[in-house]
Amino acid sequence: MGDASFKPDLAGIREALSQPGVVAALDAVAKGIAASANSAGLERIRKKYHHGSPLTHAPYRSYTTKGHKYGVALGIVTTSGRFGEWDEREHKTLESFNH
């Protein structure tokens, strides 16, 4: 059998994970999670704080960025304002997507 040692090229991996196609795929996934979180959270927020009236902005948002430590693309979904913070604290909406 041959030598099984393997040393990954970290610079190449970082470059591959920062390509426009990867960024676009991460953006699509993050937007989908934010849309699902907004769908779940908006109804609860309307009932608790707005008595059924529409909110002026969504409680969750998404974006893509380059990671600070390794420079690879990241898709981020986070709360957007106090209503999103309330919904996440009370219902763990974003946390539920990790399970």
Side-chain angles (χ1 to χ4, degrees):
M1 232 189 236
D3 185 8
S5 64
F6 172 76
K7 184 176 180 186
D9 176 15
L10 294 180
I13 293 170
R14 289 180 186 134
E15 179 68 25
L17 293 177
S18 296
Q19 293 299 307
V22 173
V23 174
L26 286 171
D27 189 50
V29 170
K31 283 180 179 176
I33 291 171
S36 295
N38 283 322
S39 178
L42 281 172
E43 189 61 31
R44 291 188 292 259
I45 293 166
R46 281 186 191 128
K47 286 180 182 175
K48 174 118 175 133
Y49 293 105
H50 290 273
H51 309 291
S53 63
L55 288 162
T56 56
H57 72 279
Y60 296 95
R61 66 186 177 97
S62 68
Y63 61 95
T64 55
T65 187
K66 209 171 193 182
H68 298 294
K69 186 171 183 179
Y70 297 109
V72 298
L74 301 170
I76 308 292
V77 183
T78 187
T79 59
S80 178
R82 64 186 176 118
F83 294 120
E85 291 171 8
W86 170 83
D87 187 61
E88 183 60 25
R89 184 177 56 251
E90 295 296 317
H91 301 283
K92 308 292 186 221
T93 304
L94 289 179
E95 189 176 316
S96 70
F97 289 100
N98 291 326
H99 302 287

